[in-house]
Amino acid sequence: MPSGVTATTLRHMTYFPPPAEELRFLDSELRQLDARRAQLLARRAWLITMIQQAVQPAPPVWPSRPAQPGPSARPEATAPGVQNVLLLLGGILLTIAAMVFTLVSWGHLGIAGRSLVLGAVTLAVLGAPVALLRKGLRSTAESVAGLGLALTVLDAYALHEVVFTAADGTTYAAAASTALAALWAAYGTALAALPGSTALRAPHPAALAVAQLPLVLWAIALGGGPLTVTAAVLLTTAFDAAVALRVSGRPVRLVALVCAFGTGGWGVLTAGLLSLGAAGPSAAARAAALLLLAAVIALGVARFAPRPELATGMATTAALCGVAGLSGVLRVSVPGDWVVPSCLACGIALLAAARGPAAVRRGVVLASAVVQAGAVLWAVPAVGVTLLGPVAWLRHIWAGAPADARTAVTVDAFWPPYAVTVPLILLAVAAVLATAVRGQEWRPRALIAALTLTWAAALVTPAALELPYLVGLLIPGLTVPALLAPALRGTAARTAAGLALLTSLGLALRALATEPATLAVLASLTVVFAVAAWRGRQTPVSAAAALGWATALACAVGASAGWRPEIVALLVLVVPVAAALLAARLDDSVTTVTVEVTGAVAGLVAVGLAVADPPLLALVLSLCGVIVAGTAVRPDRRDVGYAAVALFVLAAWVRLAAWQVELPEAYTLPVTVPALLVGALRRRRDPAASSWTAYGPGLAVTLLPSLATAWSDVEWTRPLLLGAAGLLLTLLGTRHRLRAPLVLGGSVLALVTLHELAPYLVQVTDALPRWVPPALAGLLLLALGATYEQRLRDVRRVREVLGRMN
């Protein structure tokens, strides 16, 4: 120790033990803490058990050794839950016993005994909850009170069987339900008014449930018809709604809500059916009065509803009930064509009648939207027939002009009844959407919907009004440029372009009725879409549509001139040429793609038209190859060159097939030579490219079909030439160390040699004794086994040599 260290310094120094000793010390401390924790957990579990048993705890007895805490068995049901189940089962059993006594054992007692027994039991059961409530046994009091209420029902039944035997069943049921509802409500109120007791949950909800019957039963008992019974149901709904809005007790409010929705739905549905089945204005007016009553009830609930969602729903229901009632009256009062427009007018009028709180106004607006949507859905079949009906002209091309525009769209279909006013309905809804919707979020969507509805109205007007055929062509013909003329953007522009395309399609189909109309319409559509594309109106769609209609125009011109389809194919090729020239000058990539795709489709149409004439088909394929090759000159379309080569090869094959050439080499060599040239160019640009990628496909295209043909060829010319080619390829592959020519050429040479030597091998096999082949095979196996290691080295060297080749 240095001499400068004093005793004071040593006294304040801290000793740090080695890590192993410190670790043992920490483990010992942790074990002591775990033992103490186990003791405390055991004591805690014992205390909890003693508290649950509600027993005076005995003097604590500490275990002799620490007990390890284990999972305690938790009860699966709580004590209050078990109590309620027991009370409920007891009440049900007592009620069943009372029913059996009343229905089965009633006849064993006299009239006095019956009255005394039922009266005494009922009074005793109804009075028992008073004492139970004073002792704080509320659950037991609930169970006993429920039993007492059930006994009052049995008392009513017993009175009917003994005292009021001559009374009508419906009348007695109405009186009994009225009395029971009043009695149960008074009983619940009386128990709540007792000093020191709390209100029971059962009597008032039960009274409310029984209160659903009196009005309906009294209406039936007094001979009321469906209208009277429905009115009673709706009045019951009003009572339930008032209770639900004014009573604060949760059980009563919940039962009132359920009853209100149930009886309200029943009443509205019945009133609606009565309105639909009304045969005259008087019956319709009475049904409308019921619907108006339902509307008043729903509107009152909306006015005092505590939640905005409920207020909105009730306001919507009220408005719809009012419109339904007026619609029922209009249905039997106005002509059939004007029923839906009248209902739509009522729905639109709701927008002006929307007053009151925001939630109520929102519900009325929602009801108006529902009515308008229903009117639009009613008009959909007429619009669908107008769009899809002209498709039938494809089977009746140039059959003659129809009588009118409706006949032009209903070739094989039928026109929906009462659809004359469809254009008016669509225009009215479009006007509402364009003027009434003001929100920044919904305004653009409303304008797009208004545009679509206006287009549908213009499209269906000629057929709805049965205008002349030429007018039926003129209106959609003017609709197309009207949709493409405005400088729209975004979703509106795309919607307008799509609608213009649909209109042009329907117009072209309707024009198929006569030859002049077809030519005029197709020419007009081509010009209109071309001008729209030139002016930048949705250029991708407009340019593609112009090329498509130009293709159809070329086909129509050829058919009008009486040309054969093969000749018409040459005229159709003008469209792919125009598309290729146009795509080369466009800057927009999307427009370029659509133009090229449309040109490709036109080329396919030309090929389909020329299929019946192989020489002309070969010419068409060659011309398509020229067009595609011209496209491949562009730097961004180099890959299209493969398609050009494929078209040229296909054209050559078709030409050879037309000449009835059967040599497979004549079909494969036109593919092999360009493929080898392309492979050589690729190897020059990329010396690391594999020979299988560069030369493999080109060589396989010729060698494999020729080998398959040579295997069954009896002549010597093809095997000789094929063997020479295989030998040449093997030498070239060896010279330039290329794997693909070496493997393919060697394989072909070996197979051709085997094919040529096969007859001689068969002769030798027949001349040898039967034991010679097995003996030769055994000797071969012995030789291979003796030189196995050397053979493996040789094979490995051959593999390495082939691996070093490209």
Side-chain angles (χ1 to χ4, degrees):
M1 179 182 298
S3 59
V5 178
T6 62
T8 307
T9 304
L10 291 175
R11 195 164 41 247
H12 292 282
M13 290 179 63
T14 302
Y15 171 74
F16 293 97
E21 183 178 353
E22 185 177 1
L23 181 62
R24 286 193 298 270
F25 175 77
L26 293 177
D27 290 339
S28 176
E29 291 291 330
L30 289 174
R31 282 194 296 270
Q32 293 178 7
L33 290 175
D34 289 339
R36 180 59 179 167
R37 183 174 183 274
Q39 293 178 359
L40 294 176
L41 288 175
R43 179 63 178 175
R44 180 179 181 276
W46 179 81
L47 291 174
I48 291 175
T49 304
M50 298 303 294
I51 291 174
Q52 289 180 348
Q53 294 178 354
V55 183
Q56 187 69 24
V61 178
W62 293 88
S64 59
R65 58 187 180 89
Q68 297 296 330
S72 58
R74 300 181 62 184
E76 296 182 356
T78 60
V82 174
Q83 170 188 320
N84 292 335
V85 170
L86 293 177
L87 293 175
L88 179 62
L89 289 177
I92 292 175
L93 292 177
L94 288 176
T95 303
I96 294 174
M99 292 174 60
V100 172
F101 171 77
T102 305
L103 299 176
V104 178
S105 301
W106 187 260
H108 298 290
L109 298 176
I111 184 65
R114 299 173 188 174
S115 303
L116 289 176
V117 169
L118 269 181
V121 171
T122 303
L123 290 176
V125 172
L126 291 177
V130 177
L132 294 173
L133 287 174
R134 290 177 178 176
K135 293 183 179 181
L137 301 176
R138 180 174 178 176
S139 298
T140 307
E142 292 277 3
S143 179
V144 175
L147 175 61
L149 299 181
L151 288 177
T152 57
V153 178
L154 296 178
D155 290 339
Y157 171 76
L159 288 175
H160 179 267
E161 292 296 322
V162 176
V163 180
F164 303 103
T165 55
D168 177 65
T170 306
T171 305
Y172 183 79
S177 60
T178 304
L180 287 175
L183 176 63
W184 291 359
Y187 177 67
T189 304
L191 289 179
L194 292 176
S197 64
T198 57
L200 297 181
R201 290 189 294 266
H204 286 117
L208 183 60
V210 175
Q212 308 304 307
L213 301 176
L215 286 178
V216 178
L217 292 177
W218 281 117
I220 298 174
L222 296 176
L227 292 171
T228 306
V229 174
T230 305
V233 172
L234 291 176
L235 291 176
T236 304
T237 303
F239 170 73
D240 295 334
V243 172
L245 292 174
R246 295 301 180 185
V247 175
S248 60
R250 180 178 176 82
V252 178
R253 188 168 65 250
L254 182 61
V255 173
L257 283 174
V258 173
C259 294
F261 280 111
T263 56
W266 176 18
V268 170
L269 179 61
T270 306
L273 294 177
L274 291 174
S275 179
L276 288 177
S282 177
R286 289 193 292 270
L290 294 177
L291 288 171
L292 290 177
L293 175 61
V296 171
I297 296 172
L299 192 60
V301 174
R303 180 63 181 83
F304 298 100
R307 294 185 179 181
E309 298 83 2
L310 180 60
T312 300
M314 289 295 101
T316 303
T317 303
L320 290 177
C321 288
V323 172
L326 294 178
S327 300
V329 176
L330 293 173
R331 184 181 62 84
V332 296
S333 303
V334 300
D337 292 332
W338 294 95
V339 172
V340 177
S342 302
C343 298
L344 178 61
C346 296
I348 295 175
L350 290 175
L351 296 176
R355 296 291 187 272
V360 175
R361 294 198 306 270
R362 187 163 52 249
V364 175
V365 171
L366 181 59
S368 176
V370 170
V371 175
Q372 296 178 60
V376 171
L377 288 177
W378 178 83
V380 165
V383 179
V385 171
T386 305
L387 281 175
L388 303 178
V391 176
W393 283 111
L394 293 173
R395 296 186 298 174
H396 310 283
I397 296 178
W398 297 350
D404 50 43
R406 182 178 295 183
T407 308
V409 300
T410 56
V411 183
D412 294 334
F414 68 93
W415 187 252
Y418 306 117
V420 176
T421 55
V422 166
L424 177 62
I425 292 172
L426 296 174
L427 289 176
V429 177
V432 171
L433 290 173
T435 57
V437 180
R438 296 296 182 184
Q440 185 177 2
E441 179 182 358
W442 292 96
R443 179 69 176 172
R445 303 177 186 178
L447 291 178
I448 292 174
L451 174 63
T452 305
L453 293 176
T454 305
W455 163 80
L459 190 69
V460 79
T461 296
L465 302 181
E466 295 184 276
L467 299 178
Y469 173 66
L470 292 179
V471 178
L473 295 179
L474 182 61
I475 291 179
L478 295 175
T479 303
V480 174
L483 289 169
L484 296 174
L488 301 176
R489 293 182 180 180
T491 307
R494 292 190 293 269
T495 303
L499 296 178
L501 199 57
L502 281 177
T503 307
S504 65
L505 183 59
L507 176 60
L509 290 173
R510 272 175 274 184
L512 292 176
T514 61
E515 179 180 345
T518 301
L519 296 175
V521 166
L522 292 179
S524 302
L525 291 176
T526 303
V527 173
V528 167
F529 280 102
V531 172
W534 177 66
R535 297 186 60 184
R537 301 292 190 264
Q538 287 297 304
T539 307
V541 178
S542 301
L547 292 174
W549 291 126
T551 304
L553 178 61
C555 296
V557 169
S560 177
W563 296 346
R564 291 183 298 121
E566 300 83 8
I567 306 300
V568 177
L570 298 176
L571 180 61
V572 172
L573 284 178
V574 176
V575 177
V577 173
L581 295 176
L582 180 62
R585 303 186 62 181
L586 292 174
D587 297 331
D588 185 10
S589 60
V590 178
T591 306
T592 302
V593 171
T594 57
V595 168
E596 290 175 346
V597 170
T598 309
V601 173
L604 291 176
V605 172
V607 172
L609 291 173
V611 166
D613 192 344
L616 273 177
L617 177 59
L619 177 60
V620 170
L621 289 172
S622 301
L623 294 176
C624 289
V626 172
I627 298 171
V628 176
T631 303
V633 174
R634 293 159 48 193
D636 58 337
R637 291 293 186 268
R638 297 297 189 191
D639 295 337
V640 183
Y642 296 106
V645 173
L647 288 172
F648 285 129
V649 171
L650 189 58
W653 286 356
V654 172
R655 185 72 262 185
L656 292 172
W659 286 338
Q660 298 182 353
V661 176
E662 298 179 356
L663 295 176
E665 291 78 9
Y667 294 90
T668 56
L669 285 176
V671 181
T672 296
V673 174
L676 292 178
L677 292 176
V678 173
L681 292 175
R682 180 173 182 180
R683 289 271 300 171
R684 179 173 296 181
R685 293 196 307 265
D686 184 12
S690 173
S691 62
W692 285 109
T693 304
Y695 304 117
L699 294 175
V701 166
T702 295
L703 292 176
L704 296 181
S706 299
L707 181 62
T709 306
W711 199 262
S712 59
D713 193 356
V714 297
E715 300 294 336
W716 59 272
T717 308
R718 179 177 281 108
L720 178 61
L721 295 176
L722 187 59
L727 178 60
L728 179 61
L729 288 174
T730 303
L731 295 176
L732 289 175
T734 304
R735 172 68 180 80
H736 298 285
R737 303 181 66 183
L738 298 176
R739 186 183 303 173
L742 178 60
V743 175
L744 290 177
S747 301
V748 170
L749 180 60
L751 291 174
V752 170
T753 304
L754 178 62
H755 174 264
E756 293 302 316
L757 295 178
Y760 302 102
L761 295 176
V762 172
Q763 292 177 7
V764 172
T765 304
D766 293 339
L768 292 175
R770 295 184 180 274
W771 57 268
V772 172
L776 293 176
L779 291 174
L780 178 62
L781 292 176
L782 288 176
L784 290 175
T787 59
Y788 182 74
E789 185 176 0
Q790 181 65 33
R791 295 297 179 269
L792 286 179
R793 283 200 299 267
D794 295 341
V795 171
R796 194 177 297 113
R797 288 173 183 173
V798 172
R799 185 178 62 186
E800 291 175 355
V801 171
L802 291 176
R804 288 193 294 270
M805 294 182 180
N806 289 321

